[in-house]
Amino acid sequence: MALDPINLAARLIQCPSVTPDDAGALDVLQGALEALGFACKRLPFSEPGTDTVDNLYARLGTKTPHICFAGHTDVVPAGDKSAWQVDPFVGNIHAQSLWGRGAADMKGAIAAFVAAVASYLDAHPSPNSSISGSISLLITGDEEGPSINGTRKMLDWLTQQGEVIDDCVVGEPTNTDALGDTIKIGRRGSVNGTITMTGTQGHVAYPHLADNPVPRLAAMVHHLSTSKLDEGSTHFQPSNLAMTSFDVGNSATNIIPAQATARFNIRYNDNWQADTLSAWVRARLDACAGLVDCEPASYELALVHTGDCFLTEPGPFVKQLSAAIHKVTNREPTLSTSGGTSDARFIKNITRVVEFGLVGKTMHKVDEHVPLDDIRQLSEIYRLVLQNYFI
Ligand SMILES: [Zn+2]
């Protein structure tokens, strides 16, 4: 049963599934998967104060080994539609590319994987009995949003059901310039921090009657942002701390303010874990408090960890994926851990996970589009992966 990945990708793009709306995208996908024999389970999740989000888990086969493709049908907003050359939710083909929101991130990759499964099954006349393992898709509608009612809750559900996945490929647009240039084998961790420094408000002409928190916080910001975290590691670049804001909110010129806050983000490598990094930040700030002559108690630190660092050591599966990429594109993919976080940060808790999809150049931008050949070639790469996986 041949399945055209371009056509399926276009049908997915036609559903304006801007998080948290599904807009029919999962129905389109489920229809295609059920036609291939997948058992599909919809998993809508919600919790107080959040939008309900629909998700889909589909599995073909019951045996091991079990390979899973993970991804998301939700997309970021199109922004100013008039700035686009085409309607972002039509799925036009123009100049040998497929255009529309989600073409690269990541409806094109989902369609490529489904077409790969169809093509793989074509070579196996009796699907359920001939696959010596299982293929599943774990598709969320909450990746671009708060990521509360999506992959994380699906993984809990999988664990409760006793579902065991051996290997997972996330279809994020990992390639920088050309299809096949990059596989992601890990991601850095991310933590957001807020430092609040408290003093005593007063008149600028009577500084001895006030306690100015601004210079103290400025010293802390300087101390923190000039401290080196590490030199990097085998698979990771050095960890990086970026100050993102310094706020006093003082509109008066004659008042020493009572409070100042600063915010920062750290992207960290596998030299760190959430707790060791938290301890490092606190120790730097305490040391600085001593230097600028303020009580450690005069500042408050809040840290929100949004994802741990993870690394999937390159093993046989990464080698097979690399070989498939080389065969189709003639490129040797770089094994990278750079870039932002993805749902792989959650999936790594239950299975080995790598990421490989389309080229990310236009993702989240106006005029998002991907070459038709890239979608076809990605589908062929996924098909080779499946073929080698079940030998
Ligand atoms: Zn994405």
Side-chain angles (χ1 to χ4, degrees):
M1 188 188 311
L3 196 156
D4 177 15
I6 314 275
N7 177 276
L8 179 57
R11 283 166 57 214
L12 290 170
I13 290 170
Q14 283 156 14
C15 306
S17 49
V18 177
T19 335
D21 292 336
D22 169 62
L26 289 177
D27 282 345
V28 169
L29 183 58
Q30 181 167 341
L33 291 170
E34 282 176 345
L36 297 173
F38 278 80
C40 293
K41 174 80 180 161
R42 291 290 268 273
L43 297 165
F45 292 116
S46 59
E47 63 178 64
T50 67
D51 294 302
T52 301
V53 181
D54 207 352
N55 305 280
L56 170 69
Y57 177 64
R59 179 168 175 167
L60 180 73
T62 52
K63 299 179 210 156
T64 58
H66 178 176
I67 184 171
C68 175
F69 175 90
H72 60 89
T73 43
D74 63 324
V75 294
V76 294
D80 179 7
K81 277 194 185 184
S82 65
W84 286 64
Q85 292 184 46
V86 297
D87 186 319
F89 297 111
V90 167
N92 301 65
I93 290 172
H94 165 63
Q96 290 305 304
S97 288
L98 177 66
W99 295 63
R101 177 57 82 224
D105 183 14
M106 56 172 277
K107 290 173 170 175
I110 293 173
F113 187 81
V114 178
V117 175
S119 171
Y120 171 74
L121 294 178
D122 269 348
H124 298 78
S126 172
N128 279 315
S129 57
S130 66
I131 297 185
S132 49
S134 300
I135 303 170
S136 67
L137 286 92
L138 185 72
I139 306 294
T140 178
D142 188 18
E143 200 273 344
E144 302 288 10
S147 301
I148 292 168
N149 293 316
T151 299
R152 248 193 301 193
K153 289 198 165 83
M154 292 177 88
L155 295 174
D156 290 344
W157 181 86
L158 288 178
T159 305
Q160 285 159 18
Q161 302 297 309
E163 291 279 312
V164 177
I165 295 168
D166 297 296
D167 291 282
C168 181
V169 180
V170 180
E172 288 292 344
T174 50
N175 299 288
T176 311
D177 292 313
L179 186 73
D181 66 24
T182 310
I183 300 173
K184 300 248 162 146
I185 57 165
R187 295 272 187 163
R188 291 176 295 170
S190 175
V191 59
N192 292 313
T194 305
I195 311 164
T196 306
M197 181 69 78
T198 303
T200 306
Q201 187 178 314
H203 195 299
V204 291
Y206 303 93
H208 56 288
L209 300 177
D211 174 22
N212 195 343
V214 176
R216 289 205 307 268
L217 184 59
M220 273 192 178
V221 165
H222 178 73
H223 189 60
L224 203 55
S225 59
T226 51
S227 301
K228 205 173 201 175
L229 278 144
D230 56 61
E231 305 282 345
S233 65
T234 309
H235 293 287
F236 285 88
Q237 63 200 93
S239 302
N240 182 61
L241 182 148
M243 297 304 309
T244 53
S245 189
F246 191 104
D247 302 290
V248 182
N250 182 9
S251 56
T253 53
N254 57 355
I255 289 176
I256 289 170
Q259 207 170 62
T261 59
R263 291 190 284 128
F264 60 91
N265 175 272
I266 302 175
R267 295 295 159 115
Y268 61 94
N269 60 33
D270 55 352
N271 286 307
W272 303 92
Q273 285 167 343
D275 55 345
T276 57
L277 192 65
S278 298
W280 181 87
V281 173
R282 198 165 284 284
R284 302 304 296 170
L285 295 184
D286 283 347
C288 189
L291 293 174
V292 297
D293 193 26
C294 76
E295 293 296 314
S298 62
Y299 80 89
E300 266 176 47
L301 172 67
L303 293 171
V304 178
H305 289 268
T306 56
D308 292 332
C309 172
F310 78 92
L311 175 73
T312 299
E313 287 289 347
F317 186 73
V318 172
K319 282 204 181 77
Q320 277 181 10
L321 177 57
S322 299
I325 290 166
H326 185 255
K327 190 165 181 190
V328 175
T329 66
N330 211 24
R331 295 191 178 91
E332 293 291 350
T334 300
L335 305 182
S336 164
T337 56
S338 66
T341 62
S342 78
D343 274 357
R345 73 191 137 143
F346 307 127
I347 298 170
K348 64 102 166 80
N349 293 331
I350 68 154
T351 182
R352 289 184 294 262
V353 58
V354 297
E355 300 174 64
F356 183 72
L358 290 161
V359 176
K361 257 188 240 174
T362 62
M363 65 176 180
H364 294 211
K365 292 187 177 172
V366 161
D367 285 340
E368 180 173 350
H369 65 281
V370 282
L372 302 181
D373 272 350
D374 280 9
I375 298 177
R376 293 192 191 105
Q377 289 196 333
L378 178 62
S379 192
E380 176 59 8
I381 291 166
Y382 287 152
R383 190 192 67 78
L384 286 171
V385 166
L386 291 173
Q387 186 177 289
N388 293 327
Y389 198 75
F390 295 116
I391 279 173

